[in-house]
Amino acid sequence: MGDIKVRGKKEDEDEKAEVDIWNYVFGYVKIAVVKCAIELGIADAIDKHGSPMTLSQLTTTLKCEPPRLYRIMRFLVHYQIFKEEPVTQDSFGFALTPLSRRLIRHGERSMAAFILLESSPVMLAPWHSLSARVLDSGNSPFETAHGKDVWSYAEENPRHSKLIDEAMACDARVAVRALIEGCPQVFDGIKSLVDVGGGNGTALSMLVKEFPWMHGINFDLPHVVAVAPKVDGIEYVGGDMFECVPKADAAFFLWVLHDWDDEECIQILKKCREAIPQDKGKVIIVEAVLEEDKNDKLEFVGLMLDMVMMAHTKKGKERTLKEWKYVLGEAGFTRINVKPIHTVQFIIEAYI
């Protein structure tokens, strides 16, 4: 009986492998079709219509060729990105799901810009050099593909820089909302907050609106803050975080430190330590913490992000709690609190 059970388990594993392998053979198809749906504006059209749309209505609105659009929708319905609902006794329409609502370009929880960034030719090209990166400690895959690092490339290509800012704004809307709802006490007593690497200011504008007693400082590279939308209550400062950080009660990081190696993080954090009050100042870090919660349904996202860091940055990485404690300790922070929120990232508070 024991042999039969073992043999049965192996057969089950083999059958599962037969299915799973096809997800790797054609794994790119899902992201390509979802990107197609965003570019066509399928979710936007259905949202604007206010009710399920028939294929005929969709093709007219989007000016698409009907049989091809049907094949796209069949695929998206199969993966439950959209769903079919009856429109009349004899016809059905395509309706939004919670997932496709996140494909609406200007939706409250939209991730459309993030998907467009990660599926862009610029960001896809480095993945072809990932194995070379593992074998060699030289240039990052991004540098191999484009001849310069991601930040230099963005500075010279405003369109790509805008795409990065819009993608980061997608995550900011999700992460900051989770932070406000889950840990609002993090901002108690803070009268001024500098968002280091704040991009177009989405995160900071949400925080200043929620905590109006705070003065916000959006600090990023000059070419980034120059085009950031201006919001009341926020000061915009261009500069280099490796050289100096504007003074404030607290420094805030959202998905910034994972772009850099330990020594670079320590250098940045030391500049933050110089910028905040020695008695009550703190650094607030919103980043993934690997291997911290095995029951976290989003744990896989942190592991994926770590691969993104390997492909898109020179030395960036996602960190475990032990690794976070190391860089913060080396930068002179003696006490930290780590709290989960309902998103990919954790909240790390670090005190001098």
Side-chain angles (χ1 to χ4, degrees):
M1 287 293 291
D3 289 343
I4 294 173
K5 286 183 179 178
V6 171
R7 189 160 54 247
K9 181 181 178 182
K10 288 182 178 178
E11 288 173 353
D12 289 344
E13 290 175 344
D14 195 55
E15 286 180 10
K16 184 176 183 299
E18 283 286 344
V19 174
D20 288 350
I21 193 63
W22 290 105
N23 282 317
Y24 296 97
V25 173
F26 293 120
Y28 66 90
V29 174
K30 288 183 185 178
I31 183 61
V33 177
V34 169
K35 178 183 181 180
C36 171
I38 295 170
E39 292 176 335
L40 292 175
I42 296 172
D44 300 88
I46 297 173
D47 180 60
K48 185 177 181 180
H49 187 71
S51 60
M53 296 181 72
T54 64
L55 181 66
S56 176
Q57 290 172 321
L58 265 180
T59 54
T60 300
T61 300
L62 302 176
K63 298 178 172 59
C64 291
E65 201 269 339
R68 292 174 186 160
L69 181 60
Y70 171 74
R71 290 160 64 189
I72 293 289
M73 296 308 298
R74 179 175 61 187
F75 182 94
L76 294 168
V77 167
H78 174 80
Y79 285 101
Q80 300 178 357
I81 298 170
F82 292 88
K83 61 183 177 180
E84 293 176 339
E85 288 187 354
V87 175
T88 67
Q89 275 191 325
D90 304 318
S91 65
F92 66 87
F94 297 104
L96 296 173
T97 66
L99 185 52
S100 54
R101 287 191 180 280
R102 286 160 172 78
L103 305 183
I104 298 171
R105 280 186 183 260
H106 300 292
E108 185 179 347
R109 297 187 177 185
S110 175
M111 294 294 278
F114 212 149
I115 293 170
L116 291 177
L117 171 68
E118 295 300 336
S119 62
S120 67
V122 172
M123 300 307 258
L124 286 177
W127 290 102
H128 296 289
S129 302
L130 189 61
S131 58
R133 175 61 169 160
V134 177
L135 292 167
D136 181 22
S137 60
N139 288 339
S140 70
F142 192 95
E143 290 174 291
T144 299
H146 302 296
K148 51 181 68 70
D149 66 43
V150 65
W151 315 118
S152 299
Y153 185 91
E155 185 173 4
E156 295 177 12
N157 294 270
R159 185 176 177 182
H160 187 69
S161 180
K162 184 172 185 287
L163 194 55
I164 291 175
D165 289 340
E166 290 173 347
M168 294 304 98
C170 281
D171 175 70
R173 283 187 286 269
V174 174
V176 173
R177 186 180 298 107
L179 171 56
I180 290 170
E181 292 174 356
C183 299
Q185 67 276 11
V186 166
F187 299 96
D188 288 350
I190 296 177
K191 294 182 180 179
S192 57
L193 181 75
V194 55
D195 186 354
V196 184
N200 67 7
T202 297
L204 194 56
S205 63
M206 291 176 69
L207 291 171
V208 169
K209 182 179 179 181
E210 184 68 23
F211 309 110
W213 62 82
M214 275 195 325
H215 171 67
I217 304 170
N218 186 25
F219 179 60
D220 211 313
L221 294 168
H223 76 273
V224 175
V225 295
V227 296
K230 302 304 181 281
V231 175
D232 290 341
I234 295 179
E235 178 184 353
Y236 297 82
V237 179
D240 184 343
M241 62 186 172
F242 288 98
E243 296 179 359
C244 182
V245 172
K247 293 189 179 300
D249 289 343
F252 180 81
F253 290 93
L254 173 58
W255 264 4
V256 171
L257 294 175
H258 68 173
D259 293 326
W260 309 97
D261 71 8
D262 288 352
E263 292 306 312
E264 290 165 327
C265 278
I266 292 166
Q267 185 180 346
I268 296 166
L269 289 165
K270 282 182 176 179
K271 294 300 178 183
C272 289
R273 194 186 67 191
E274 295 171 3
I276 61 177
Q278 299 297 301
D279 54 344
K280 62 177 182 178
K282 67 177 177 180
V283 171
I284 304 165
I285 300 168
V286 185
E287 293 266 12
V289 181
L290 298 183
E291 302 174 8
E292 187 61 16
D293 184 358
K294 293 298 183 183
N295 296 317
D296 184 3
K297 294 180 180 178
L298 293 173
E299 182 188 19
F300 76 97
V301 184
L303 297 174
M304 287 188 170
L305 277 166
D306 192 44
M307 295 297 97
V308 172
M309 292 301 102
M310 192 181 295
H312 290 163
T313 70
K314 189 173 182 66
K315 298 178 181 178
K317 63 178 181 179
E318 301 303 329
R319 291 177 169 85
T320 63
L321 181 55
K322 182 179 179 181
E323 289 170 322
W324 278 118
K325 286 181 177 179
Y326 170 74
V327 296
L328 287 164
E330 290 295 306
F333 293 88
T334 59
R335 180 167 61 92
I336 71 168
N337 294 327
V338 179
K339 303 172 185 176
I341 53 176
H342 295 297
T343 186
V344 175
Q345 301 98 328
F346 286 66
I347 304 302
I348 304 171
E349 295 175 275
Y351 301 85
I352 299 173

